[in-house]
Amino acid sequence: MEKIEYIRPDTIEEALHLLSNPTTKNKILAGGTDIMVQIRIEPPDYDRFVDISRVPEMKQIKIDNGKFLLGAGLTHEEVASEPSVLNIIPFLAQACSSVGSPQIRNTGTLGGNIGNAAACADSLPVLVCLDAVACLRSESGERMIPVSELVIGPHKTQIGKSELITHFSFPLPPMNTKSRFIKIGRRNSQSISRLSIAAMGKIGEGGLIDFIRICPGAATPQTKRFTDVEDFLVGKPYDDKLFAQAGERMAAKMIEFTGIRWSTKYKEVALKAITERVLREVLSSNISVAYPDNQYPADKDSRI
Amino acid sequence: MKIGFVLNQKNISVDVSPDITLLSLLRDHLHLTGTKVGCEIGECGACSVLLDGKLVNSCLVLVPQVEGREVITIEGVSAGEGEASDLQKNFISAGAVQCGYCIPGMVMAGEALLMKNLHPSRNEIREAISGNLCRCTGYQQIVDAIEITAKERSERK
C-alpha cells in the first residue's frame, strides 16, 4: 500500500480549503467503517485522508422554523439516541439502530451512509421519505440537493470531489405523524438489507388517511418515494384490504423500475408483505409521540 | 507521524505511518496481543477496544484518529497485575470460554455495556454483544457471565 497522508481539520472552512486543493487526491474520512474495508479490497485512488470526524459543526442537531437539521457527522448511535429524533421521526432512529453492530454505529456516520451510497444504506429510504435535502458545501459555495437525487444509483452520487455533505434538513412531519422502518436481512445484527421500507403517515378526522409517505430501500437503483401508491392511499379509510392493494401496487411499481431480475421473485412477495405491515403499524390508532408534549415545531403551520 | 494518546490510563506517544490501523499499532508496534485479529473488516468484533468509552472495531480505526483520545484494551481491563477482572472470572466460571479467540472482544463489549447499564436485560446483553462473533459457545454462557457480573456489580454499589 502506498503511504497515505492524514490531516484533520477543526472547522468546515478548513476542511473545504483542504478539499479544494487540485493537486492532492483527497478522501473524506468520517467514521471510516466503509473506507477501511474498501482499502483492503482495492488499492486506494487517493493520497490523503481529510478526517472531518472532529469538526463540531458537523454534529449539529437543530429544529428551527419548522425544519429539522441533522449534521452529517452524527454517528448512527448519536442519531438513534437523540430524544427529538425518537419523538418526531422514530423511524430514523430505527434505521440507524439497524446499521451494522454497536461498534459500527459508534463510529459510522449519517453523512457517510448517504455519501457511500450503498443501495442497501439503511438511513437512505428514511431520509428520502422525509424529503430530506443534503447541503453540499465547497469553497466556491453551497448547494442543496434532495437526497433522492443526490444518490443516483449504487455507490454513485452527485457529490463533487471538493464537496462535503455538511448536514441534512427536512420539514417537520405534521403533528401526530407515526413513522416506522422495517428491514429484512439475513440475520439480526451485522446484516445488509435485502429489502427495507420507510413510511410515515397519520389518520385525520373522519378516520381517513390524510398524510402518507412511503419509500422502499434496496428495491430500486435510485431510492424514491412511491408517490403513486401514496396518492392511492390518501383520503381512504384504514383497511387491511386497502393495504394489500397498496402492497401489490408497490411491487408492481418496483418491477416497473427494475424489470425482472434474479431477485424479483423474492422481492415482489417480500415488498408486498412489508408494505402491508408498515402501513398497518403506521396507521394504527395507538399513536405514541409525535411531539405533543415537547412542542417542537417553531412554525405551527409547517406542513409537508 | 507523531501521535499521542492515553492507552490503558497511561499517556503514550508513538511515531508511526499515519495509514496503519489502531489494531496494527496495538499488536505489531506495542505488542499488546490481547486484542485479536479476526476478519479485519469490522464484522467479527475480535479486535474490539474502547475509544473514549465507546466500543469500536480497532481494525477500522486509523491511528491518527485516536490522537488526544483515550483507548482501553483488554490489557487495561484486568484487575491489577495480570489478575483477571470480575467479568473475566465470571466468563470462566460460567463456561463462556472455549477456544477463547473472541473473548477479549466479548469482554470489551460486556464492559462497554456495564459502564452505562448495570441492570441490562438478557436482550440488552445480546444486543451489546451482537457485533462480536463466537463460533464455539452458542453465546448463552457469555450472556450468563455478563448478567452475573451486572448483578454482582449493582449489589456492590
Side-chain angles (χ1 to χ4, degrees):
Chain A
M1 189 164 78
E2 284 291 305
K3 195 172 163 187
I4 305 165
E5 295 300 320
Y6 171 96
I7 192 157
R8 187 175 55 238
D10 295 320
T11 64
I12 289 182
E13 285 70 23
E14 211 183 306
L16 298 178
H17 182 68
L18 291 165
L19 294 173
S20 73
N21 181 344
T23 55
T24 313
K25 278 185 253 161
N26 294 298
K27 184 75 175 174
I28 298 168
L29 178 72
T33 53
D34 285 311
I35 291 173
M36 296 300 287
V37 176
Q38 282 153 11
I39 209 171
R40 293 175 51 82
I41 299 165
E42 53 189 49
D45 58 355
Y46 44 86
D47 37 45
R48 181 171 71 179
F49 287 117
V50 178
D51 179 1
I52 46 126
S53 63
R54 291 198 221 176
V55 175
E57 301 153 86
M58 295 288 294
K59 287 196 180 276
Q60 57 176 327
I61 298 170
K62 215 165 67 179
I63 295 168
D64 189 25
N65 213 12
K67 283 221 155 150
F68 209 129
L69 196 151
L70 287 171
L74 290 162
T75 64
H76 297 296
E77 176 54 33
E78 285 163 346
V79 175
S81 57
E82 163 59 30
S84 58
V85 169
L86 288 164
N87 177 330
I88 305 172
I89 43 167
F91 67 161
L92 182 60
Q94 289 158 7
C96 288
S97 320
S98 76
V99 173
S101 62
Q103 288 92 326
I104 299 292
R105 295 194 287 276
N106 279 335
T107 41
T109 64
L110 194 60
N113 202 218
I114 299 301
N116 183 54
C120 54
D122 289 323
S123 64
L124 184 56
V126 174
L127 289 177
V128 170
C129 198
L130 287 163
D131 271 354
V133 168
C135 177
L136 298 183
R137 272 180 69 183
S138 69
E139 263 208 327
S140 49
E142 71 171 37
R143 55 188 187 127
M144 309 293 276
I145 297 191
V147 173
S148 62
E149 288 164 31
L150 181 74
V151 180
I152 312 161
H155 298 292
K156 283 196 192 115
T157 70
Q158 289 198 43
I159 306 166
K161 279 203 161 47
S162 55
E163 282 183 318
L164 173 69
I165 308 177
T166 57
H167 62 268
F168 301 97
S169 73
F170 44 87
L172 287 176
M175 197 182 261
N176 294 328
T177 294
K178 211 170 160 186
S179 68
R180 179 89 169 94
F181 171 80
I182 296 174
K183 163 173 169 175
I184 306 179
R186 288 193 175 142
R187 62 200 296 281
N188 280 335
S189 182
Q190 291 285 37
S191 80
I192 307 293
S193 280
R194 312 312 303 176
L195 195 66
S196 66
I197 197 159
M200 58 177 179
K202 72 182 192 75
I203 301 275
E205 281 169 34
L208 304 179
I209 300 167
D210 75 348
F211 173 73
I212 187 78
R213 286 279 183 79
I214 193 156
C215 179
T220 53
Q222 202 171 7
T223 302
K224 293 265 185 206
R225 281 168 50 201
F226 280 16
T227 49
D228 293 1
V229 181
E230 295 171 3
D231 294 343
F232 165 74
L233 286 163
V234 129
K236 298 198 172 83
Y238 178 104
D239 176 19
D240 278 342
K241 231 186 251 167
L242 180 76
F243 299 160
Q245 288 168 348
E248 268 156 31
R249 282 167 188 249
M250 287 292 286
K253 195 79 198 164
M254 172 182 71
I255 295 168
E256 215 179 291
F257 281 120
T258 61
I260 304 284
R261 300 180 69 237
W262 63 271
S263 58
T264 304
K265 234 182 182 167
Y266 164 73
K267 288 199 172 178
E268 189 180 4
V269 185
L271 183 58
K272 190 171 175 293
I274 56 174
T275 299
E276 286 180 44
R277 200 194 312 163
V278 85
L279 288 174
R280 222 173 286 131
E281 291 183 21
V282 156
L283 297 170
S284 63
S285 52
N286 58 334
I287 288 162
S288 47
V289 273
Y291 61 83
D293 295 326
N294 297 322
Q295 301 180 333
Y296 283 107
D299 173 9
K300 264 194 178 167
D301 298 324
S302 94
R303 279 288 183 277
I304 296 172
Chain B
M1 189 178 188
K2 277 213 167 104
I3 295 139
F5 65 104
V6 180
L7 176 62
N8 297 331
Q9 298 179 329
K10 280 190 193 124
N11 283 310
I12 70 158
S13 176
V14 293
D15 194 358
V16 293
S17 171
D19 54 8
I20 67 166
T21 64
L22 175 60
L23 174 63
S24 165
L25 174 76
L26 292 171
R27 290 183 57 90
D28 306 333
H29 297 256
L30 302 173
H31 309 297
L32 292 173
T33 52
T35 304
K36 300 302 176 205
V37 186
C39 66
E40 291 188 88
I41 54 169
E43 298 243 341
C44 75
C47 69
S48 297
V49 300
L50 299 181
L51 179 56
D52 286 345
K54 285 185 176 159
L55 192 68
V56 301
N57 294 310
S58 62
C59 71
L60 298 182
V61 176
L62 273 182
V63 171
Q65 290 186 293
V66 305
E67 180 161 45
R69 299 171 77 182
E70 188 184 7
V71 176
I72 298 176
T73 69
I74 190 69
E75 288 85 356
V77 163
S78 58
E81 299 295 309
E83 182 80 359
S85 72
D86 55 346
L87 179 59
Q88 288 169 316
K89 282 179 186 156
N90 285 331
F91 264 72
I92 297 164
S93 59
V97 184
Q98 287 186 33
C99 91
Y101 203 80
C102 72
I103 301 301
M106 284 288 184
V107 170
M108 297 316 291
E111 288 293 352
L113 171 70
L114 297 176
M115 272 164 46
K116 53 179 186 184
N117 183 1
L118 273 186
H119 302 278
S121 66
R122 283 184 77 84
N123 262 344
E124 283 170 329
I125 296 172
R126 286 195 187 97
E127 178 62 41
I129 60 167
S130 63
N132 297 69
L133 300 182
C134 170
R135 300 290 82 157
C136 303
T137 63
Y139 301 101
Q140 299 306 324
Q141 299 89 329
I142 295 174
V143 176
D144 292 345
I146 297 172
E147 192 177 36
I148 295 162
T149 311
K151 202 162 166 265
E152 287 173 356
R153 285 193 193 175
S154 61
E155 279 165 3
R156 226 179 298 147
K157 270 207 164 177

